[in-house]
Amino acid sequence: MTDTTRTTRTPRAHRLGHLSVLVSGAGVAGPALALNLARHGARVTVVEKAPALREGGFAVDFRGHVHRTVLTSMGLWEEIHAHRTRMGRQTVVDADGTPRLDLPAQLMSGDVEITRGDLARIMYERTKDSAEYVFGDSVATLTEVPEGVDVTFEHGAPRRFDLVVGADGLHSHTRRLVFGDESRFLRFLGHYVAGFTVPNHLGLHGTGRLYSEPGRCVALSNCDGDPDLAGALLVFRSEPLSYDRRDVAAQKRMLAERFAGMGWETPAVLDALEGAGDLYFDAIAQIHADRLAQGRVALLGDAGYGATMGGMGTGVAIVGAHVLAGELALAGGDHRVAFARYERRIGGFARGCQKISGNVGPFFAPPTERRIRGRDRMYRLLASRPMAGSFKRLTEKAATAIKLPDYPA
Ligand SMILES: Cc1cc2nc3c(=O)[nH]c(=O)nc-3n(C[C@H](O)[C@H](O)[C@H](O)COP(=O)(O)OP(=O)(O)OC[C@H]3O[C@@H](n4cnc5c(N)ncnc54)[C@H](O)[C@@H]3O)c2cc1C
């Protein structure tokens, strides 16, 4: 029997077998787009600068029905649940480790939380046979011609693609090549963040500790993965710094200087930093771009609307990939129509999520002792049962403020 309800309500998707798409960046947004586009038959190549998949990073979370709908349609919801962290409460402590307040899991970890590395690996595994992955290379030049985009690479041979999508993160190379210098788009929020793995010398198990001094914060957590390891998170308040993003040794020296003399477990964390092989260090910053597309090139994820920690950057990237692929499928690959609709749908949604993350630096590292006390008072209140519900609703409001069309699977 024919299901007439479905055929009248669901917009028609076109197969995209004729469409070749180059995605720059195999972080979260790139593989998410590859997964969505492959379902519509597009030929996708993902080029990643790093020599292999970058599996570092802390836990990322998903909240509300929009994230759930998108992850379900991508066939990821169950697997994310299977690999979820079992993070419990996180405790704000004094210099001697005395608990000051508990931040409940509900406040910090959303509906489901997974480490960034697990998420990246799951999406890569799902797409490595349907998309071509090229590691250890990067786009060198992009030239738009009437039939497509001519791309040269730092190492590989030149190729032509119908479309190019920059999913290469906060410091997007694609954005620089096509849209202009980073200084036009990056809004620095006055703090830096570092994350790396350390020995779990506190014996944490599915829980975390957070210690702040004026302008600095050290947090340790174990999300119930390897019991011998913990994630260290360092946040500090600073004027904009000029440093070489490829010089990890210099970043370690800078962190050691910034955190010298700090109490609690900081000396042990700095000892572990010396040997850490997975340091993630970046500014706490957002990307504000007026346009997400120019000609045959579009921006996705952090490259187009990076929100930094607490801004649900991963959730927004996943929703962005779903919308971009869905619009391309509905428009039969016509990028002029699809990119314009993508920009309209995702722009306001991403800005709403960015607003939530505006205070993440001062939350971790308030500038004065008085402000640290003030933060603790406020979060004690927020963590109380009636307020926790409103806090959850507030973050979910931003995470669900988009009406998704019924893109056909
Ligand atoms: C190693 C790592 C650890 C992270 N850890 C955290 C964390 O702890 N907390 C947090 O809030 N956010 C973290 N992030 C950022 C977070 O992943 C993103 O905010 C979010 O998931 C959106 O993902 P994205 O794919 O847009 O960007 P990203 O996840 O940053 O991915 C961008 C990808 O593009 C690649 N790339 C960069 N330049 C080029 C180029 N020229 N050519 C090809 N590829 C290029 C990068 O190597 C990276 O794999 C981390 C990102 C990385 C790369």
Side-chain angles (χ1 to χ4, degrees), residues 63-141:
R63 338 182 151 224
H65 66 87
V66 169
H67 292 172
R68 186 186 179 124
T69 302
V70 170
L71 290 168
T72 304
S73 88
M74 289 167 73
L76 292 174
W77 184 251
E78 301 298 330
E79 202 167 349
I80 286 177
H81 259 267
H83 288 87
R84 73 187 181 276
T85 72
R86 285 176 172 77
M87 194 64 182
R89 68 178 192 283
Q90 304 199 41
T91 305
V92 177
V93 295
D94 272 334
D96 61 3
T98 310
R100 271 157 88 142
L101 76 132
D102 285 338
L103 302 165
Q106 185 199 25
L107 220 61
M108 308 293 280
S109 309
D111 298 339
V112 62
E113 187 183 69
I114 180 166
T115 64
R116 183 195 170 281
D118 279 349
L119 180 64
R121 192 181 31 73
I122 289 170
M123 289 198 297
Y124 170 67
E125 290 295 330
R126 285 284 179 97
T127 50
K128 69 180 185 346
D129 296 329
S130 52
E132 174 193 15
Y133 277 85
V134 181
F135 287 99
D137 207 350
S138 171
V139 169
T141 61

Side-chain angles (χ1 to χ4, degrees), residues 167-208:
D168 36 13
L170 201 67
H171 306 288
S172 169
H173 179 59
T174 311
R175 191 183 59 225
R176 192 175 310 116
L177 286 177
V178 177
F179 296 77
D181 192 73
E182 178 168 301
S183 56
R184 288 173 51 194
F185 309 108
L186 189 132
R187 197 174 292 172
F188 174 58
L189 299 182
H191 293 77
Y192 286 85
V193 57
F196 50 97
T197 305
V198 298
N200 186 12
H201 70 285
L202 290 181
L204 302 170
H205 180 69
T207 181

Side-chain angles (χ1 to χ4, degrees), residues 347-369:
F349 171 64
R351 277 191 295 279
C353 293
Q354 283 178 326
K355 280 193 191 135
I356 298 277
S357 71
N359 283 327
V360 70
F363 163 77
F364 281 103
T368 62
E369 196 57 53

Side-chain angles (χ1 to χ4, degrees), residues 25-45:
V28 169
L33 183 66
L35 204 161
N36 278 288
L37 281 176
R39 293 189 311 173
H40 297 295
R43 287 169 289 126
V44 181
T45 299

Side-chain angles (χ1 to χ4, degrees), residues 108-273:
M108 308 293 280
S109 309
D111 298 339
V112 62
E113 187 183 69
I114 180 166
T115 64
R116 183 195 170 281
D118 279 349
L119 180 64
R121 192 181 31 73
I122 289 170
M123 289 198 297
Y124 170 67
E125 290 295 330
R126 285 284 179 97
T127 50
K128 69 180 185 346
D129 296 329
S130 52
E132 174 193 15
Y133 277 85
V134 181
F135 287 99
D137 207 350
S138 171
V139 169
T141 61
L142 294 169
T143 312
E144 186 161 337
V145 293
E147 306 79 24
V149 187
D150 285 338
V151 184
T152 64
F153 295 91
E154 278 177 11
H155 303 296
R159 289 166 71 173
R160 176 173 292 174
F161 295 88
D162 293 316
L163 304 175
V164 174
V165 176
D168 36 13
L170 201 67
H171 306 288
S172 169
H173 179 59
T174 311
R175 191 183 59 225
R176 192 175 310 116
L177 286 177
V178 177
F179 296 77
D181 192 73
E182 178 168 301
S183 56
R184 288 173 51 194
F185 309 108
L186 189 132
R187 197 174 292 172
F188 174 58
L189 299 182
H191 293 77
Y192 286 85
V193 57
F196 50 97
T197 305
V198 298
N200 186 12
H201 70 285
L202 290 181
L204 302 170
H205 180 69
T207 181
R209 304 275 184 276
L210 187 155
Y211 171 68
S212 302
E213 285 182 7
R216 310 190 278 190
C217 171
V218 173
L220 290 170
S221 61
N222 169 284
C223 337
D224 201 22
D226 187 334
D228 297 328
L229 298 176
L233 178 83
L234 272 55
V235 176
F236 64 93
R237 188 180 159 83
S238 170
E239 67 290 352
L241 299 171
S242 117
Y243 64 97
D244 182 348
R245 276 192 286 111
R246 283 158 305 184
D247 191 345
V248 177
Q251 291 164 24
K252 287 184 177 178
R253 278 196 301 278
M254 187 159 64
L255 284 164
E257 278 164 26
R258 293 274 170 166
F259 283 84
M262 188 165 173
W264 189 54
E265 299 296 330
T266 311
V269 170
L270 293 182
D271 277 351
L273 169 66

Side-chain angles (χ1 to χ4, degrees), residues 25 27-29 48-49 54 57-58 116 138 168 173 280 302 314:
V28 169
E48 164 61 50
K49 190 175 65 171
R54 298 178 67 188
F58 271 87
R116 183 195 170 281
S138 171
D168 36 13
H173 179 59
Y280 166 74
D302 275 10
T314 305

